[in-house]
Amino acid sequence: MHIPTLSAIEDVRIAWIADRDEERARRVAKIFGLNRVRLPEELAQLPEADVLLLAIPHGARGEYLEALRERETAFYLEKPVALSAVEH
């Protein structure tokens, strides 16, 4: 649901998509005409982006946030953003 919504916004360009499931990433990229990248062993090697949508469960986000925290990239997270005020 994110890809059609983002694609409908005039000032948004989806630069690439990635998924741990390579086959799913390939299918989605083909359906929507997007560039697919493989998830690198070191997440810090993901391509640059102004905004990174992490459409993954709360518990799986930490490694991405940690690996990419030095970038000047905004993160768009699905709910919940955090499970406590301290974590947020």
Side-chain angles (χ1 to χ4, degrees):
M1 86 179 187
H2 295 295
I3 294 172
T5 301
L6 291 171
S7 297
I9 302 171
E10 187 174 318
D11 296 338
V12 171
R13 179 181 69 86
I14 302 172
W16 52 269
I17 65 165
D19 195 298
R20 287 185 187 233
D21 181 333
E22 287 291 328
E23 178 57 27
R24 177 172 41 208
R26 187 193 62 74
R27 283 192 320 266
V28 171
K30 183 177 180 181
I31 289 168
F32 290 101
L34 299 172
N35 181 36
R36 176 184 61 89
V37 300
R38 292 181 185 264
L39 281 178
E41 295 272 332
E42 297 290 328
L43 293 174
Q45 295 176 0
L46 280 167
E48 294 288 332
D50 294 330
V51 178
L52 184 63
L53 166 63
L54 291 178
I56 57 179
H58 171 269
R61 295 181 197 147
E63 64 183 305
Y64 291 87
L65 297 174
E66 181 64 29
L68 303 171
R69 71 182 176 156
E70 299 299 322
R71 290 190 184 181
E72 292 191 24
T73 299
F75 292 96
Y76 179 77
L77 307 174
E78 292 185 309
K79 296 178 185 175
V81 172
L83 298 181
S84 70
V86 171
E87 181 184 10
H88 185 68

